[in-house]
Amino acid sequence: MRIGVALLAFGLLSGCDIGVATSQAGTTPTGLIQALWCKVGTCKVVAGLDFTLPSVICSSVDEVSVTPAITNPNGERLVDVPVQFQVEPTSVAVVTQKQGIRCVNTGSAVLSGTAASARHAVPFSCRLVDRISVTDHFRLLLGDGPVSPAVEVHDTAGQLIAGGPTSITVADQQVLRESGGMLIPEQIGISRVTFRAGDKRAHSLVTVVRRIKHEPLLLNDRARVSYALPKGNYEVDISVKSGASTYGVTLDWIGGDGCEDHIESQEFTSRCRITSAGSLVIENPTIFGLGPAANGYITISEVP
């Protein structure tokens, strides 16, 4: 008791504010010694505890690490101070042996931590992934800017998870690359793309093509139009109407190998490999000069 009184008197005479430290350590002689030592030496009194968590956790396999920051009344970091963690409810998540967090069900929870008399709590949500919805194959146009892939992620409660996949991996980055969740075409080709969210993965084959033409196509009866093409692989999409009739247009490749000529039709797709230089001819077949005009669109693309 004499030691405590002497230390208290020293604190008052020296102008030291020992109230903060006393609130943590109590009013015992030991607590007063710790409070005074925080003013003149190394302070190991725990005054603050802080840690963070992702607001949403999507995996039931991956452990989310928790790194606590423990400070003394002077704001200095303390090390080797044990922290006790607890999750409520435990039906949603658990504390692992490595003092991390692992989700076990979809739901909301709170992680609480205690270090000496300091406490801190952080709310979070477990959104375990049930499925990733994405088409098996889609196309991107060379020259387009970053494209957001049409991907949806649903949790085990059937709800859509905002933000989409947590990672996107491109197999052939010479064809396209990922940046900030967007896909950027680089050159004509095909690449496998893997989308990951939580414990689930989905895959798509992405084809990058160069659009050469996309324009209206209007051919009167007996009219034709041709397009010169250099060496390369091409695909043509045609869609026309001829009034109320079923008449359409024909397609012929010149200077190609393994090409798909097409008989008269209103809608079709044709591919061809031009070996050196060639052309594409579209014609509205004659009906004695009295047939209807074919009116629609033509798209020519260079493909892998």
Side-chain angles (χ1 to χ4, degrees), residues 253-272:
W253 296 94
I254 299 174
D257 181 25
C259 301
E260 304 166 348
D261 293 342
H262 212 283
I263 61 174
E264 185 177 4
S265 183
Q266 291 189 341
E267 291 190 13
F268 56 86
T269 298
S270 178
R271 296 176 68 100
C272 181

Side-chain angles (χ1 to χ4, degrees), residues 57-159:
I57 302 172
C58 295
S59 174
S60 62
V61 176
D62 297 335
E63 177 180 325
V64 178
S65 61
V66 182
T67 304
I70 305 165
T71 55
N72 63 19
N74 299 331
E76 299 166 335
R77 293 286 293 268
L78 300 177
V79 296
D80 298 329
V81 177
V83 180
Q84 299 297 321
F85 288 110
Q86 183 178 358
V87 171
E88 290 292 342
T90 55
S91 60
V92 173
V94 295
V95 178
T96 67
Q97 293 181 346
K98 297 180 180 180
Q99 293 288 74
I101 298 299
R102 186 171 63 83
C103 290
V104 294
N105 278 306
T106 293
S108 298
V110 175
L111 174 65
S112 301
T114 303
S117 59
R119 293 177 175 81
H120 186 58
V122 174
F124 64 98
S125 295
C126 290
R127 302 286 300 277
L128 302 188
V129 176
D130 177 64
R131 69 186 187 278
I132 302 174
S133 300
V134 62
T135 183
D136 293 336
H137 184 277
F138 60 92
R139 285 188 170 188
L140 298 178
L141 295 180
L142 187 64
D144 280 1
V147 177
S148 177
V151 184
E152 290 186 345
V153 180
H154 296 266
D155 65 19
T156 52
Q159 299 299 311

Side-chain angles (χ1 to χ4, degrees), residues 13 15 25 32 47 51 77 91 103 112 116 123 128 138 169 189 206-207 219 222 225 230 246 248 253 260 278 285:
L13 290 175
L32 293 173
F51 52 84
R77 293 286 293 268
S91 60
C103 290
S112 301
L128 302 188
F138 60 92
T169 304
V206 180
T207 301
L219 294 176
R222 291 189 298 180
V225 63
T246 59
W253 296 94
E260 304 166 348

